[in-house]
Amino acid sequence: MPPLTLTRRELKVVRDLSEFSKPVKQKKALVTLSQLCIHDPDSRAYIAAAGAIAPLVQLLGAGSSADTQERAATALWHLAKEGNADIIAAAGAIPPLVQLLGHGTPADVQNQACALLATLA
């Protein structure tokens, strides 16, 4: 495989994803990134290389909305299928994923958390 060359778009999306003080910008980046992970398998390696895993793991936490948690888990699930499972686990994804399985979490978020946990196993 040739070396990864990140596009300006990929770098901007990951940079915006890390903007925890700017939730609107962060949400837009999360939507873009999750759509890329779902619909563009070729972009997954670039997204992981750009540093998206750590901010995605942070978005799984209790301070995020259910929609944000589901989108983050979905993106991470696609990245895990591309050989990033160990990196995702090392970034601390397992504890918040287990919390998402608890009472009061919407079923769609629980399902995505369960799918990601199974992929990380």
Side-chain angles (χ1 to χ4, degrees):
M1 178 177 197
L4 299 177
T5 305
L6 304 174
T7 67
R8 283 185 177 176
R9 179 179 185 208
E10 290 155 344
L11 290 171
K12 181 181 181 335
V13 168
V14 172
R15 190 172 47 249
D16 289 351
L17 186 67
S18 301
E19 294 269 356
F20 289 94
S21 64
K22 299 178 183 175
V24 173
K25 186 182 248 189
Q26 184 183 49
K27 177 72 170 191
K28 184 177 176 183
L30 177 61
V31 169
T32 300
L33 191 133
S34 64
Q35 291 301 309
L36 282 170
C37 285
I38 293 167
H39 301 293
D40 186 5
D42 294 336
S43 72
R44 295 175 193 156
Y46 297 97
I47 290 167
I53 291 173
L56 285 169
V57 168
Q58 287 183 294
L59 291 172
L60 295 172
S64 296
S65 70
D67 179 61
T68 295
Q69 291 168 328
E70 183 181 10
R71 285 184 186 276
T74 299
L76 286 167
W77 180 73
H78 285 285
L79 294 175
K81 292 187 337 180
E82 296 296 321
N84 294 296
D86 290 342
I87 297 167
I88 293 167
I94 294 172
L97 287 169
V98 170
Q99 283 190 319
L100 290 175
L101 298 177
H103 181 69
T105 301
D108 51 348
V109 177
Q110 288 181 339
N111 291 339
Q112 197 56 55
C114 187
L116 179 52
L117 282 168
T119 304
L120 296 178

